[in-house]
Amino acid sequence: MREAIRLSIENVKNGGGPFGAVIVKDGRIIATGTNRVTANNDPTAHAEVSAIREACLKLDTFDLSGCEIYTSCEPCPMCLGAIYWAHLDRIYYGNNKADAAAIGFDDSFIYDELALPRENRKKAMEELLPEEAIAAFRLWRDTEDKTEY
């Protein structure tokens, strides 16, 4: 955790956001990440996502079972989703989401939006061509030699 915190402080000093993350396997640091959203012009370049990407490359896998993530702040909804998809075993965090909101990183609007029916969300969503789109799902379902994830 101290390394994640150190990374978050260093990142602020280098023009990034106040977030750092470390992925550990068997007691060893496998990957690190910092928030590079503005530096990279990439809204997905959060510390946790960056660390997950690096860990997957280093371990040559998309499944990080057996790994844990230490992050300087409670993960936002996007990062939390990425952590679940990566199958990380456990999450440790320093600051909580209320601490983040107090300095302008308030993710509550996303949680609020997800709780609403689609038709009541601020971002319009419309289903298009479902009868054509289903072809890929049927192909996936019927493919026997696919890699499940």
Side-chain angles (χ1 to χ4, degrees):
M1 179 56 78
R2 286 190 178 98
E3 180 63 6
I5 294 167
R6 186 193 70 72
L7 287 167
S8 70
I9 293 168
E10 182 181 301
N11 199 51
V12 172
K13 292 177 182 178
N14 292 319
F19 305 96
V22 174
I23 294 179
V24 172
K25 183 176 178 117
D26 300 325
R28 291 185 4 259
I29 293 176
I30 300 299
T32 64
T34 57
N35 181 289
R36 304 305 292 165
V37 170
T38 57
N40 295 355
N41 291 319
D42 179 355
T44 68
H46 288 202
E48 298 90 339
V49 172
S50 296
I52 288 168
R53 289 174 179 160
E54 183 180 316
C56 289
L57 284 172
K58 284 186 176 176
L59 297 175
D60 194 29
T61 183
F62 55 83
D63 184 343
L64 297 178
S65 296
C67 297
E68 300 172 325
I69 190 165
Y70 294 78
T71 179
S72 63
C73 186
E74 184 175 0
C76 75
M78 176 184 70
C79 292
L80 190 59
I83 289 166
Y84 274 92
W85 279 113
H87 304 286
L88 288 155
D89 291 352
R90 190 172 180 113
I91 304 164
Y92 299 95
Y93 63 91
N95 299 306
N96 63 42
K97 59 185 174 183
D99 298 326
I103 63 162
F105 294 94
D106 188 357
D107 299 323
S108 62
F109 73 98
I110 297 173
Y111 291 106
D112 294 343
E113 283 286 298
L114 291 173
L116 294 173
R118 277 189 221 100
E119 63 272 8
N120 294 345
R121 294 179 185 164
K122 289 183 180 80
K123 299 283 183 190
M125 294 179 72
E126 182 178 350
E127 186 176 32
L128 293 176
L129 305 174
E131 58 284 337
E132 292 179 36
I134 200 69
F137 281 16
R138 288 181 179 139
L139 181 61
W140 172 262
R141 180 195 62 207
D142 297 340
T143 299
E144 292 185 19
D145 62 342
K146 63 185 169 250
T147 302
E148 301 273 353
Y149 59 96

